[in-house]
Amino acid sequence: MPTINQLTRKGRTRSVSKMKTTSLKRWFNTMNRKFTESPSSFKRGVVLAVRTMTPKKPNSALRKVARVRLSNKQEITAYIPGEGHELAEHSIVLVRGGRVKDLPGVKYHVVRGRYDTTGVSGRQVSRSKYGTKKGQGGVKAK
């Protein structure tokens, strides 16, 4: 516990929490060609490549990820959630934060149901996360 004298000399400093999705924080001003800070929840980007990744040790699967160049000229790896996707090179996507625990270096998610990304067809539960409307898709064939 600090004394009154210590508080008058130094004061209290607020602890600054570190942002985990740093690419969403930067903003590129094309007019004067400089980066500035303007945090945003989502950013638009262009898909450079779509590929699969294998998860860390206890898990085994082929997770779909996309290499995306954001509107602030930064390149990131974003996870494509849900079953099936139609993303290809030059597709326009919306990216949000949110890391994938078993994929190292993947800190972003592609938002389904925005721009060139369609929602997951036949999805009945957790539809808002996968961009599916109430009556959309119908029953999925197995």
Side-chain angles (χ1 to χ4, degrees):
M1 187 94 177
T3 63
I4 300 295
N5 188 32
Q6 288 170 334
L7 285 172
T8 52
R9 279 190 293 116
K10 292 186 178 177
R12 294 192 190 273
T13 56
R14 185 166 279 189
S15 60
V16 180
S17 60
K18 187 177 159 225
M19 189 177 186
K20 291 179 180 175
T21 53
T22 50
S23 292
L24 297 179
K25 191 162 80 169
R26 289 183 78 187
W27 173 71
F28 185 68
N29 187 338
T30 49
M31 218 149 129
N32 55 22
R33 299 179 67 195
K34 283 190 180 156
F35 286 101
T36 48
E37 282 194 10
S38 175
S40 58
S41 324
F42 304 97
K43 277 224 185 291
R44 200 174 92 138
V46 179
V47 174
L48 302 175
V50 179
R51 58 173 175 258
T52 56
M53 278 178 87
T54 50
K56 285 202 297 190
K57 196 59 186 278
N59 296 336
S60 173
L62 283 175
R63 308 253 192 258
K64 279 66 177 178
V65 294
R67 194 85 182 134
V68 180
R69 177 178 283 120
L70 296 177
S71 56
N72 61 8
K73 308 278 191 261
Q74 290 195 304
E75 284 187 22
I76 57 155
T77 306
Y79 178 68
I80 307 166
E83 292 179 14
H85 68 87
E86 63 309 300
L87 288 180
E89 201 177 344
H90 308 302
S91 298
I92 307 292
V93 290
L94 191 69
V95 174
R96 67 173 171 88
R99 83 180 187 119
V100 184
K101 203 175 176 187
D102 60 2
L103 295 179
V106 180
K107 301 178 195 168
Y108 305 91
H109 272 69
V110 170
V111 178
R112 299 288 303 241
R114 270 277 162 259
Y115 303 130
D116 293 344
T117 322
T118 57
V120 180
S121 61
R123 184 91 194 179
Q124 297 297 321
V125 289
S126 302
R127 289 190 330 274
S128 64
K129 286 183 182 177
Y130 298 93
T132 310
K133 297 278 188 237
K134 180 75 171 171
Q136 209 175 13
V139 180
K140 195 170 81 174
K142 282 191 177 181

